[in-house]
Amino acid sequence: MDETIIPYELPNPENHSFFFVDIRVSPDLEAKLHQHDAWELYYVTHGYGSRIAGDTVQPFSAGDVVLIPPAMQHRWKFVPDSVDKNGNIRYLMVAFSDTLVLRCIDIFPELRNRMADIKPPADALKYGVESSCIIRKTLTKMNEMDELDRLCEMFRLLPVIFGSTDHVSVGKPMRIERDVRRMQQISTYVMGHYVHPITLKDIAAEVGMNRSAFCSYFKRTKGMTFSEFVCEYRLNTACELLKHSQKQVSEICFMVGFNDIPHFVRVFTKAMGVSPLKFRKKFSK
């Protein structure tokens, strides 16, 4: 079934310039697919799962720092097993408007000088090691501050958010409503069924297309085949399990939808450049 995109209005804290929250909730209470007219800077402090941002679905894990542009549909779907001892997932989030950024640049020459040649991104961004470290530390400090100190930290944070070069795109906006619904439907289906075989007949029927038309549409829209998309999602999920669980490689193989261990190891090694065991060793240091 197609998942409805919920227009969502963030709470407007009275007499504040932006919205800051430290959320600790059960995974089933986290927001469904939604969009709002604000930039969202999101730092996952506990939990992992799958993130939808625009046209892209990817696994995420604790430590990830992502910027979602205004009006982009998105969802953070946490795995129930990733909760803390109190049964909660946790994240820190700052939401702020374009108006805040423009007014700050207009009023404060010091900030304008730092951001003069910076163009706000259209894509959702995941920050690299250097920038995410700065952002994590800043948001953690802000969580212990009063409102005035938070505002001062926000001035320091804006150039990092928009001026960072160590980031990757993790979602592009979809501006045609039909494609928004269709690609979201495909992504949601894959998230719910990747453990089992997904045939082209199944997914084509899910979105109301014949097999040939679906293959052409998907390749044109995503720049890869549907089989490549599913394989990429399974491998990314396997990476998260290797990093954040003690499950055996053989168990992970079947958990992410592969039914042959040697084949899984070959595909994983080709895609990641190292075997599953070496990948786990790399991240266990």
Side-chain angles (χ1 to χ4, degrees):
M1 296 297 292
D2 196 359
E3 186 176 359
T4 302
I5 302 171
I6 302 171
Y8 183 73
E9 187 173 348
L10 289 164
N12 184 19
E14 187 176 357
N15 298 322
H16 289 74
S17 303
F18 57 91
F19 180 68
F20 180 94
V21 288
D22 176 2
I23 294 293
R24 308 178 197 210
V25 295
S26 172
D28 61 303
L29 296 178
E30 177 56 3
K32 306 302 183 184
L33 186 69
H34 64 286
Q35 59 186 172
H36 46 68
D37 189 23
W39 294 93
E40 179 180 302
L41 183 66
Y42 198 106
Y43 162 33
V44 182
T45 59
H46 195 99
Y48 60 86
S50 298
R51 178 189 59 250
I52 296 174
D55 67 349
T56 301
V57 54
Q58 288 185 350
F60 69 86
S61 58
D64 281 8
V65 178
V66 171
L67 179 69
I68 305 290
M72 177 177 283
Q73 66 274 9
H74 57 284
R75 180 185 182 186
W76 300 77
K77 184 179 180 181
F78 286 83
V79 173
D81 290 345
S82 70
V83 298
D84 62 18
K85 62 182 180 180
N86 296 315
N88 294 329
I89 53 90
R90 184 187 176 198
Y91 60 89
L92 300 179
M93 191 264 282
V94 173
F96 55 95
S97 66
D98 275 323
T99 301
L100 171 68
V101 180
L102 294 173
R103 284 180 176 173
C104 287
I105 291 174
D106 183 54
I107 294 171
F108 301 107
E110 296 85 355
L111 192 59
R112 183 165 62 248
N113 295 338
R114 289 283 300 276
M115 300 182 65
D117 299 321
I118 295 175
K119 182 178 179 181
D123 294 0
L125 304 180
K126 178 181 176 182
Y127 294 96
V129 174
E130 183 177 353
S131 293
S132 62
C133 182
I134 295 171
I135 295 170
R136 286 195 296 265
K137 288 180 179 178
T138 303
L139 293 181
T140 301
K141 284 196 301 181
M142 289 171 71
N143 200 30
E144 304 298 328
M145 292 177 171
D146 63 22
E147 58 188 29
L148 183 57
D149 286 336
R150 281 181 181 171
L151 179 60
C152 294
E153 288 300 318
M154 194 67 183
F155 290 153
R156 297 185 180 96
L157 196 54
L158 287 175
V160 179
I161 295 172
F162 292 116
S164 162
T165 57
D166 63 329
H167 59 250
V168 294
S169 171
V170 291
K172 296 183 179 297
M174 294 188 293
R175 305 193 182 281
I176 302 175
E177 185 63 25
R178 183 183 62 180
D179 285 342
V180 171
R181 293 196 305 270
R182 182 174 286 164
M183 289 307 301
Q184 180 50 47
Q185 189 175 1
I186 293 168
S187 295
T188 301
Y189 189 88
V190 171
M191 288 171 65
H193 296 81
Y194 71 94
V195 174
H196 308 290
I198 304 176
T199 67
L200 285 173
K201 180 180 179 181
D202 291 338
I203 189 62
E206 177 71 12
V207 296
M209 303 174 73
N210 65 49
R211 176 173 168 169
S212 177
F214 173 81
C215 290
S216 298
Y217 166 80
F218 195 89
K219 179 71 173 180
R220 182 179 69 253
T221 304
K222 293 291 292 181
M224 64 176 75
T225 67
F226 178 70
S227 295
E228 290 170 339
F229 176 78
V230 174
C231 184
E232 181 181 274
Y233 182 79
R234 286 170 170 158
L235 291 176
N236 286 337
T237 304
C239 287
E240 297 305 315
L241 289 169
L242 287 165
K243 288 191 288 185
H244 301 291
S245 80
Q246 299 302 315
K247 298 182 186 299
Q248 297 294 319
V249 170
S250 58
E251 187 177 0
I252 291 174
C253 165
F254 295 108
M255 286 180 67
V256 301
F258 287 87
N259 56 15
D260 180 85
I261 297 172
H263 175 65
F264 167 68
V265 173
R266 285 195 301 271
V267 173
F268 187 98
T269 303
K270 181 179 179 180
M272 303 302 169
V274 293
S275 69
L277 286 175
K278 289 183 178 179
F279 181 90
R280 168 172 277 167
K281 187 176 180 180
K282 176 182 176 182
F283 285 93
S284 63
K285 294 179 180 180

